[in-house]
Amino acid sequence: MSPAAPGSDGQRATVRLDVWIWAVRLVKTRAAATEACRGGHVKVGGRPAKAAQPVRVGDEVRVRIHGFDRVVIVTQLLAKRVGAPAAAAAFDDHSPPRPTALEAAQVPHRPRGAGRPTSRERREIDRLRGRES
């Protein structure tokens, strides 16, 4: 079935990833959604996704915004931007809780000019930022 072909209930079977992210208000502009995809900040099913990738109901979309991951499950496909209550009904939010101010302050600081972090230091930084592989 093509992405633009209507489904049996009159809705689209798929929607472009950048359009859906913008429509459900995870980002402010469509251009920001496209840039997030190009920058590798958006994953569908755990894999980096391009802006034109089709999104289907049931897909897990992970968007990195302002240093934090938003993990959402698609429950409804939207191709146009809608109000906040309707947008919130279009996905189930499974995002981890944001760290408290005290936890966020514990990010390690490397002195400027100290060189690249070692593999061990990089793993520790990733663990603290919540990006464990």
Side-chain angles (χ1 to χ4, degrees):
M1 183 178 284
S2 67
S8 60
D9 59 353
Q11 290 185 340
R12 295 175 179 229
T14 61
V15 175
R16 281 178 58 113
L17 177 61
D18 60 342
V19 171
W20 187 82
I21 291 171
W22 165 75
V24 297
R25 298 173 173 261
L26 292 178
V27 294
K28 289 186 178 184
T29 65
R30 173 126 181 243
T34 304
E35 279 300 312
C37 292
R38 282 189 190 146
H41 301 290
V42 181
K43 295 181 180 181
V44 176
R47 295 194 162 159
K50 294 184 177 181
Q53 179 172 332
V55 174
R56 294 175 176 80
V57 173
D59 284 349
E60 178 191 78
V61 178
R62 184 178 296 259
V63 182
R64 189 143 185 92
I65 303 170
H66 303 296
F68 298 101
D69 282 345
R70 291 283 310 264
V71 181
V72 297
I73 306 295
V74 179
T75 59
Q76 182 181 357
L77 297 177
L78 299 174
K80 302 246 184 213
R81 195 160 170 103
V82 294
F91 61 85
D92 289 331
D93 196 352
H94 293 277
S95 302
R98 287 198 172 189
T100 63
L102 180 62
E103 292 169 342
Q106 293 179 352
V107 174
H109 174 71
R110 291 186 53 80
R112 191 163 184 85
R116 294 180 59 171
T118 64
S119 295
R120 180 179 179 187
E121 290 171 334
R122 182 185 43 78
R123 285 192 299 269
E124 289 174 357
I125 291 168
D126 286 346
R127 193 175 311 114
L128 284 171
R129 290 184 177 167
R131 289 188 273 178
E132 294 186 63
S133 301

